[in-house]
Amino acid sequence: MIATKTKIWLSSPHMGGSEISYVNEAFRTNWIAPLGPNVEGFEKDLQSYLGGFREVAALSSGTAALHLALILCGVGPGDVVLCQSFTFAASANPITYLGAEPVFIDSEDNTWNLCPDLLESCILDLAKTGKKPKALIAVHLYGMPYNVERVNDISRKYDIPVIEDSAEALGSIYKGINCGTVGNLSVLSFNGNKIITTSGGGALITPNETLKNKAVFLATQARDNAPHYEHSEIGFNYRMSNVTAGIGRGQMEVLKARVAARRSNYAFYRAELGDLEEVSFLDEPEGYYSNRWLTCILLRNAELRERIRMALLADNIESRPLWKPMHLQPVYKSNKAYLNGVSEALFSRGLCLPSGSDLTEIELTRICGVIKNEIRL
Ligand SMILES: *Cc1c(COP(=O)(O)O)cnc(C)c1O
């Protein structure tokens, strides 16, 4: 039997050390509930990290946060919501929870995110048929900020609120402003593979306390103010647990180090593979700062991408094609989409490389070795 090499994962949870003391404190004080001091503490930590001018509601997932954001925008049955096509399905699915219709928009080359030109032609087209989108979901994919300035200009011009999907972009910065604070409402995720994790969790970021309170109200079964259980709205069970929020508090202590480590992974790959003709990277445009949640490379063609992915797999290294655009997903195949070919090319030629903040230089060297070897073949 051949001894298998140690597994290298795409993006592993990476504890800092103090998470367990916050969790122990929750047990010691019996705050084993979807509220408590860790939930409040985690919200405060996030709020101050993001600059202090937004309110944070800690929730059970990023998907739940997107669902509530759409509700706060008044989205309901029959409404149109615009959504970046090149993303994870969780960006789009909550639109359909509400009986609304997602219309997908392709990406631009230099950020891989929402193409502002296509966005505007889509809005003008829909206007001709008398339809005005209720909201727009823009995504900072893989941590790279979208073109915030142009997207916000279009949002203001046509009066369509932006829901900023910052699930992959905590720690990223656009022209001095933190991702997670540039949309009308913003969403974070703390799923197990994200830059920091609570094992599962998310947050909705709002511009004021009234909206935060409304989100928390909806997330805790929409209970009216009465001694018995009185309900005049439909609610959800979406609040974060005080136990997992304890993990979040510990993770906040190391967030800056996690961003530095992911960026350093990117720099390593870039230095090792950047000179190869067959490989290209996504640069940061002027004023953009990515947390480099995942390092992605584009290969010369789809065939080489698959060969490299299989060679990595044979070496017990996990890698993954880039997100399959929503307009290509079977479940969304009959939805309207405004396309330019960018996301389809990225999907066919792109590969996410292992990007965990706990990767060692020996592991990074091993990964690059497999890739270089495959390209030379
Ligand atoms: C992870 C992710 C989500 C969903 O977050 P969960 O916490 O897993 O529900 C939404 N959008 C994007 C782009 C994501 O990567």
Side-chain angles (χ1 to χ4, degrees):
M1 212 182 97
I2 305 163
T4 43
K5 296 198 182 159
T6 52
K7 177 87 181 178
I8 300 179
W9 298 99
L10 191 69
S11 179
S12 304
H14 185 187
M15 295 299 105
S18 64
E19 291 84 359
I20 194 70
S21 37
Y22 290 106
V23 172
N24 279 335
E25 184 62 14
F27 275 73
R28 199 185 62 75
T29 53
N30 205 31
W31 275 108
I32 316 292
L35 79 167
N38 281 338
V39 175
E40 280 161 43
F42 186 41
E43 288 178 343
K44 286 219 172 69
D45 294 346
L46 281 165
Q47 183 184 35
S48 74
Y49 182 88
L50 293 173
F53 62 100
R54 295 269 159 140
E55 296 293 326
V56 179
L59 301 172
S60 55
S61 71
T63 309
L66 281 158
H67 190 184
L68 294 184
L70 290 163
I71 294 172
L72 292 181
C73 290
V75 174
D79 286 334
V80 167
V81 175
L82 308 180
C83 183
Q84 184 167 321
S85 184
F86 190 47
T87 187
F88 176 45
S91 303
N93 289 344
I95 301 168
T96 68
Y97 300 172
L98 292 163
E101 176 202 346
V103 170
F104 295 110
I105 296 169
D106 216 323
S107 289
E108 54 175 1
D109 262 327
N110 60 331
T111 64
W112 297 0
N113 294 314
L114 204 62
C115 170
D117 294 331
L118 270 187
L119 171 63
E120 191 157 22
S121 29
C122 168
I123 293 169
L124 292 172
D125 246 27
L126 289 169
K128 282 184 215 144
T129 65
K131 278 200 173 147
K132 186 185 159 194
K134 264 281 168 64
L136 158 65
I137 297 175
V139 190
H140 308 296
L141 213 61
Y142 301 115
M144 182 63 77
Y146 59 77
N147 188 333
V148 173
E149 231 155 53
R150 286 207 57 204
V151 169
N152 281 353
D153 278 350
I154 294 169
S155 147
R156 274 190 291 268
K157 185 168 168 192
Y158 298 98
D159 185 33
I160 303 168
V162 180
I163 297 173
E164 175 195 7
D165 183 344
S166 197
E168 302 178 359
L170 181 58
S172 297
I173 303 168
Y174 176 87
K175 301 195 175 170
I177 308 168
N178 289 301
C179 289
T181 67
V182 300
N184 296 81
L185 293 167
S186 311
V187 167
L188 300 174
S189 167
F190 313 109
N191 200 6
N193 60 354
K194 299 287 156 66
I195 191 147
I196 60 166
T197 182
T198 58
S199 82
L204 181 66
I205 322 286
T206 71
N208 58 53
E209 208 163 358
T210 311
L211 281 171
K212 176 196 165 161
N213 292 341
K214 178 81 198 202
V216 170
F217 167 78
L218 291 170
T220 50
Q221 309 286 21
R223 246 192 101 182
D224 294 340
N225 194 9
H228 58 277
Y229 277 71
E230 176 92 0
H231 304 278
S232 33
E233 276 182 75
I234 298 292
F236 305 87
N237 181 5
Y238 278 173
R239 196 69 162 128
M240 181 178 278
S241 140
N242 193 60
V243 178
T244 58
I247 307 175
R249 292 189 78 183
Q251 289 272 277
M252 285 307 288
E253 295 176 8
V254 292
L255 174 55
K256 284 200 170 117
R258 297 297 178 262
V259 174
R262 300 240 176 194
R263 286 179 61 86
S264 139
N265 289 338
Y266 176 86
F268 189 98
Y269 285 125
R270 176 113 213 186
E272 284 293 310
L273 307 171
D275 289 339
L276 299 169
E277 226 179 279
E278 292 86 348
V279 182
S280 61
F281 288 82
L282 178 63
D283 287 318
E284 289 168 327
E286 177 90 29
Y288 288 60
Y289 182 89
S290 169
N291 67 8
R292 296 291 184 189
W293 173 56
L294 296 184
T295 291
C296 304
I297 54 173
L298 294 182
L299 285 313
R300 192 183 47 224
N301 55 41
E303 184 268 330
L304 179 62
R305 194 280 308 276
E306 268 315 278
R307 263 208 292 125
I308 291 177
R309 193 178 68 79
M310 296 311 288
L312 289 167
L313 196 61
D315 208 73
N316 215 13
I317 298 167
E318 185 186 25
S319 68
R320 194 175 296 158
L322 303 195
W323 296 122
K324 182 173 183 172
M326 289 307 109
H327 70 271
L328 297 179
Q329 297 289 356
V331 73
Y332 288 126
K333 66 175 186 298
S334 48
N335 284 73
K336 264 196 220 97
Y338 285 74
L339 306 174
N340 57 16
V342 170
S343 65
E344 290 185 23
L346 293 170
F347 174 60
S348 79
R349 292 169 46 215
L351 191 65
C352 304
L353 299 179
S355 301
S357 44
D358 54 355
L359 285 176
T360 63
E361 196 161 317
I362 292 171
E363 290 173 319
L364 287 163
T365 306
R366 185 177 131 204
I367 298 159
C368 291
V370 173
I371 295 172
K372 283 191 224 170
N373 195 42
E374 202 55 36
I375 286 174
R376 272 191 228 105
L377 288 180

